[in-house]
Amino acid sequence: MKIEVIENVLKLNDELAEQNRTRLRAAGVPCIDLMGGPGCGKTALLEATLATLGHVMRIGVCAGDLATTRDAERLHALAEQVVQINTGKSCHLEAHQIGQALARFDLPALDLLIIENVGNLICPVGFDLGQSAKVGMFSLSEGDDKAVKHPHIVCACDLLLLNKLDLAPYLTFDRMRFRDEIERLHPGIELVELSAKAKDAGFLRWIQWLTAHARGAEHESANLSGAR
Amino acid sequence: MKIEVIENVLKLNDELAEQNRTRLRAAGVPCIDLMGGPGCGKTALLEATLATLGHVMRIGVCAGDLATTRDAERLHALAEQVVQINTGKSCHLEAHQIGQALARFDLPALDLLIIENVGNLICPVGFDLGQSAKVGMFSLSEGDDKAVKHPHIVCACDLLLLNKLDLAPYLTFDRMRFRDEIERLHPGIELVELSAKAKDAGFLRWIQWLTAHARGAEHESANLSGAR
């Protein structure tokens, strides 16, 4: 009985996620689900990303947290549109919350939507939100065992980021081991090592990936429209 | 119906936690539930704690993770007894898992048990494990907004730690603001700022708190035995 209820919850989530996906595709808006532990630098990455791309792309952000509007406040000046979702005690975003948020966005006025999930390496992974790509974020200060300890996020994502490279001189972190363990868990996935703070070469690779994904998702949307 | 099932799960957890509590009290073993986000330094703190107290107290560790025995391997040489719990996809430890772990410990041969919960600032908070005290851990590298973003762990704990003070010169972190927000959320709770790596004055305060708690819990156990 318990399992049946859990399956229904996940099944309902998947149905609502598919509705979100259809809505986003119809509007031609690619959507990134950015997941990572608390304090890995998701908001800092978004600040740097918006500062870099804000003049050439209209980017909306949907920020999830248990409480406060801190992230939305930080991003408000930079993003085209921002919606904050406060989950209360819930440890992840779900498709129905994104559905409510999408209704508040002016989607045709956006080129890209980034969802900043609740800071958590575990629970967000199981919930499809209707995104076009999932990005998982780690940071150097969390330690080099976090990928192997969290295999599900490593396997679920389309791109992985390792942030806070600027702290490398002050930390013990075996980047080769981290990279090898990710390759074993999810062969072929790209891992971008970067510093959102320093806006280094890795950060530029992230910007490149993001713009390429936005273009690809737009093409997909055009194809879908053409097929109708 | 869904809510009823969730309540039953939590009710069952609370019953099993109470069984764990009774068992630990009968054996005179105080038990800390150490909670914190991934990479805040829980295992590093335990390594330093065991290295400091290992010769005067017999400390057992129960380490929770989704996957791997990395933490147990790190602590094995230092702790009196170690049990690793791999939760699979579950984001927190539950009382039934601790019950199974307690059966593997030789409790009369321990003076203290520390449970290192799964790295997660959110989900572990709701699950009583039968501990005598809950300790919540943050770190400087996570950013100074993490307490106010995670009010439930701040309110649920008996002691809060802020780790990685050694990284202060390289990070932007408003310690006064962090401290004020914690005081607003949970008036009177002690926040210990420390570096597990540097074993500084804050670390010694943690050791002092831990030994005092162990003594207090022993007295409580003696009183309970006397009352029977």
Side-chain angles (χ1 to χ4, degrees):
Chain A
M1 186 58 200
K2 279 173 207 161
I3 291 171
E4 193 189 337
V5 172
I6 291 168
E7 282 178 348
N8 284 349
V9 168
L10 281 176
K11 192 164 165 251
L12 178 62
N13 183 80
D14 285 352
E15 287 170 9
L16 294 173
E18 216 45 59
Q19 291 177 16
N20 294 345
R21 188 166 284 118
T22 302
R23 194 166 175 178
L24 286 160
R25 278 183 179 166
V29 180
C31 174
I32 305 292
D33 179 10
L34 178 62
M35 302 180 286
C40 71
K42 296 183 290 302
T43 313
L45 179 74
L46 291 188
E47 284 178 320
T49 302
L50 293 166
T52 305
L53 287 178
H55 298 289
V56 291
M57 288 176 80
R58 298 166 302 168
I59 304 176
V61 176
C62 179
D65 266 311
L66 269 64
T68 81
T69 54
R70 292 285 167 94
D71 287 355
E73 286 162 31
R74 283 172 66 182
L75 298 168
H76 188 261
L78 294 161
E80 189 73 15
Q81 301 172 39
V82 182
V83 172
Q84 174 94 38
I85 299 175
N86 282 151
T87 61
K89 289 196 171 185
S90 179
C91 51
H92 58 274
L93 291 173
E94 297 190 11
H96 70 92
Q97 295 162 326
I98 299 301
Q100 287 170 4
L102 289 184
R104 305 212 183 173
F105 280 107
D106 177 13
L107 289 180
L110 290 182
D111 299 312
L112 175 68
L113 178 65
I114 305 181
I115 299 168
E116 183 185 345
N117 218 312
V118 178
N120 186 330
L121 275 172
I122 307 168
C123 317
V125 181
F127 289 82
D128 184 7
L129 302 180
Q131 72 289 328
S132 51
K134 289 186 182 209
V135 176
M137 192 165 179
F138 296 92
S139 74
L140 236 66
S141 54
E142 294 167 28
D144 54 22
D145 58 352
K146 290 304 165 296
V148 74
K149 277 186 173 183
H150 299 89
H152 307 299
I153 191 168
V154 171
C155 295
C157 285
D158 302 289
L159 179 76
L160 293 175
L161 307 176
L162 177 62
N163 189 29
K164 305 197 186 179
L165 218 57
D166 50 289
L167 291 178
Y170 319 113
L171 299 168
T172 310
F173 190 104
D174 188 337
R175 282 154 68 186
M176 189 70 83
R177 184 186 188 184
F178 186 77
R179 188 169 278 281
D180 285 349
E181 287 175 344
I182 282 176
E183 178 61 24
R184 253 201 312 277
L185 287 167
H186 189 162
I189 189 164
E190 182 174 355
L191 169 69
V192 179
E193 302 179 8
L194 61 87
S195 165
K197 195 174 170 185
K199 294 192 183 177
D200 56 1
F203 175 74
L204 292 181
R205 171 60 196 135
W206 152 249
I207 292 295
Q208 196 183 25
W209 183 92
L210 195 63
T211 50
H213 176 77
R215 279 199 306 274
E218 273 172 13
H219 289 160
E220 188 185 19
S221 161
N223 290 342
L224 276 176
S225 307
R228 266 187 220 122
Chain B
M1 186 57 200
K2 280 172 206 163
I3 290 169
E4 193 189 337
V5 171
I6 291 168
E7 282 177 348
N8 284 348
V9 167
L10 281 177
K11 192 164 166 248
L12 178 62
N13 183 80
D14 285 351
E15 286 169 10
L16 293 172
E18 216 43 59
Q19 290 177 18
N20 294 345
R21 189 166 283 117
T22 302
R23 195 166 173 177
L24 286 160
R25 278 183 179 166
V29 179
C31 174
I32 306 291
D33 179 9
L34 178 62
M35 302 180 286
C40 70
K42 296 182 290 302
T43 312
L45 179 74
L46 291 188
E47 284 177 319
T49 302
L50 293 166
T52 305
L53 288 179
H55 298 288
V56 291
M57 288 176 80
R58 299 166 302 168
I59 304 175
V61 176
C62 179
D65 266 311
L66 269 64
T68 80
T69 54
R70 292 285 168 91
D71 288 354
E73 287 161 33
R74 283 173 66 182
L75 299 168
H76 188 262
L78 294 162
E80 189 74 14
Q81 301 172 39
V82 182
V83 172
Q84 174 94 37
I85 299 175
N86 282 150
T87 62
K89 289 195 170 185
S90 180
C91 51
H92 58 275
L93 290 173
E94 297 189 12
H96 71 92
Q97 295 162 325
I98 299 302
Q100 287 170 5
L102 290 184
R104 305 212 184 174
F105 281 107
D106 177 13
L107 288 181
L110 290 182
D111 299 311
L112 175 69
L113 179 64
I114 304 180
I115 299 168
E116 182 185 344
N117 218 312
V118 178
N120 186 330
L121 275 172
I122 308 168
C123 316
V125 180
F127 289 82
D128 185 7
L129 302 180
Q131 72 288 328
S132 50
K134 288 186 183 211
V135 176
M137 192 166 178
F138 296 92
S139 74
L140 234 67
S141 54
E142 294 167 29
D144 54 23
D145 57 354
K146 290 305 164 297
V148 75
K149 277 186 173 182
H150 299 89
H152 308 298
I153 190 168
V154 171
C155 295
C157 285
D158 302 289
L159 179 76
L160 294 175
L161 307 177
L162 176 63
N163 190 28
K164 305 197 187 181
L165 217 57
D166 51 289
L167 292 178
Y170 318 113
L171 300 168
T172 310
F173 190 105
D174 187 337
R175 281 154 68 185
M176 190 68 85
R177 184 185 188 185
F178 187 77
R179 186 169 279 281
D180 285 350
E181 287 174 345
I182 282 176
E183 178 61 24
R184 252 201 313 277
L185 287 167
H186 190 163
I189 189 164
E190 182 174 355
L191 169 70
V192 180
E193 302 181 6
L194 61 89
S195 165
K197 196 174 169 184
K199 294 192 182 177
D200 56 0
F203 174 74
L204 292 181
R205 171 61 196 134
W206 153 249
I207 293 294
Q208 194 184 26
W209 182 91
L210 195 63
T211 50
H213 177 77
R215 278 199 307 274
E218 273 172 15
H219 289 161
E220 187 184 21
S221 162
N223 290 342
L224 275 176
S225 306
R228 265 187 221 120

